[in-house]
Amino acid sequence: MRHHHPRQTDPRRRAALRAGLGLAAALVVSGCETTPGVAPPAGMSISKTPLIGKFVWRDLMTDDPALVKPFYAALFGWEYVERTAQGRPYTLVKSGGQFIGGIAKAERRIPDQPNAQWLSFLSVADVDRAAQQTRSAGGSVVLAPFDLPKVGRAAVVLDPQGAPLGLVRASFGDPADAPRPTLNHFLWTEELVPDPRAAASFYSALAGFEVVTELDGDRPFLLLRKGRDRAAIMRTPIEGMRAQWLVSVMVADPAASAQRARDLGGKVLVAPHPKVRNGTFALITDPSGALIALQKWTS
């Protein structure tokens, strides 16, 4: 695959993204006020200290929730709990009996451009300060910081390279790190951007990450480490791809899961290959166009 720097998000596309995310994110966070995902559900282990720098929640923003829910249910065995937020539907995602994320509708503002994407929420020490840091560094605030009753404080931003990001400080604490990853749960988070070094500098200042350079085959990438490896940043691998935080789900067999995704109406952008993470990785889009990775965990 040839590697190119993607085009920067044009103003029209950026404005549409901001509008769609603002609406969907408002539904997400308001939906959290009345769902079991707000306070720690029974059986969820909460860290004794805040895990600043950990991605603690993911939400799928899509213009067609009804299209994607059967896809993810068949691919990962996910189950759903339906809720209403601001008079509109919001779906909680469960895997293995645990709440792991949500699905909200984001209206498509540009007819020929799908806007579906996964939005990851990063635990920060101070949401207001993090939002201001983002703005000062050249990013923008999609949803200004606000209080969530019995939950904490949250905001949604576009980082300096245009990647959407949720910011959260939960009053009840952050989910504790599991001793081992769980099949069909979110496994990893990595940012795909035109300028990885600039992104790493921004996130180091935002959440206090240590930045470590590693290699994936012959491709360098940057690890964001805070106590443990929390995320990675690498150059966008596909021409024209917008900057974004990519989420991966743990699967037992990436090749079989990628084929299953194709059969269910998704697209396979990068099939497992020995030269790409030793064949443990596949990159797909769901039927609404949201990018997601399938990854096998190796200790």
Side-chain angles (χ1 to χ4, degrees):
M1 180 187 300
R2 294 176 61 191
H3 301 153
H4 303 269
H5 286 229
R7 296 180 295 274
Q8 293 292 327
T9 305
D10 63 77
R12 183 164 167 254
R13 177 73 177 82
R14 192 180 179 99
L17 176 62
R18 183 181 294 111
L21 274 177
L23 173 61
L27 292 175
V28 166
V29 293
S30 63
C32 285
E33 296 180 29
T34 56
T35 62
V38 204
M44 177 180 284
S45 178
I46 298 299
S47 174
K48 293 181 179 179
T49 58
L51 298 179
I52 306 305
K54 178 177 180 176
F55 284 94
V56 295
W57 190 256
R58 281 94 172 177
D59 277 295
L60 175 61
M61 312 300 192
T62 174
D63 61 349
D64 198 342
L67 178 66
V68 300
K69 284 190 281 188
F71 171 83
Y72 287 109
L75 186 61
F76 300 133
W78 286 355
E79 299 176 329
Y80 306 113
V81 176
E82 303 300 336
R83 290 289 186 269
T84 300
Q86 298 184 354
R88 303 183 64 172
Y90 173 70
T91 302
L92 279 163
V93 177
K94 293 180 73 176
S95 180
Q98 296 181 16
F99 290 99
I100 62 169
I103 299 174
K105 185 167 185 176
E107 300 293 343
R108 187 181 297 196
R109 299 305 176 100
I110 301 178
D112 62 343
Q113 290 191 24
N115 63 344
Q117 60 194 292
W118 282 94
L119 176 65
S120 295
F121 283 80
L122 179 70
S123 174
V124 295
D126 185 322
V127 170
D128 294 73
R129 183 171 181 271
Q132 182 55 51
Q133 281 182 269
T134 302
R135 187 184 286 112
S136 297
S140 58
V141 177
V142 174
L143 195 61
F146 62 97
D147 290 323
L148 289 168
K150 300 180 182 180
V151 181
R153 197 156 173 82
V156 177
V157 301
L158 298 181
D159 76 12
Q161 296 189 56
L165 175 73
L167 305 170
V168 66
R169 172 88 312 270
S171 56
F172 54 77
D174 295 319
D177 292 320
R180 291 176 61 87
T182 304
L183 198 65
N184 297 320
H185 284 217
F186 292 108
L187 176 66
W188 188 238
T189 315
E190 58 194 271
E191 188 176 35
L192 308 177
V193 289
D195 189 341
R197 285 287 174 190
S201 178
F202 166 73
Y203 282 101
S204 178
L206 188 74
F209 290 114
E210 174 192 0
V211 180
V212 181
T213 302
E214 298 282 357
L215 284 175
D216 176 17
D218 60 351
R219 295 192 64 204
F221 68 96
L222 304 174
L223 276 176
L224 299 181
R225 184 173 292 165
K226 193 172 176 70
R228 62 188 292 174
D229 294 343
R230 290 297 181 192
I233 301 177
M234 64 196 322
R235 195 176 304 280
T236 43
I238 299 173
E239 182 181 7
M241 178 182 288
R242 63 179 181 262
Q244 59 190 287
W245 279 99
L246 172 69
V247 300
S248 65
V249 173
M250 179 178 165
V251 298
D253 185 335
S257 293
Q259 182 57 54
R260 177 68 170 151
R262 182 185 284 115
D263 295 341
L264 292 167
K267 295 181 180 178
V268 178
L269 302 184
V270 178
H273 191 281
K275 292 185 178 180
V276 180
R277 303 184 191 180
N278 298 316
T280 64
F281 175 90
L283 187 62
I284 67 169
T285 58
D286 71 21
S288 71
L291 194 69
I292 191 167
L294 310 172
Q295 191 155 351
K296 180 179 180 178
W297 182 73
T298 55
S299 57

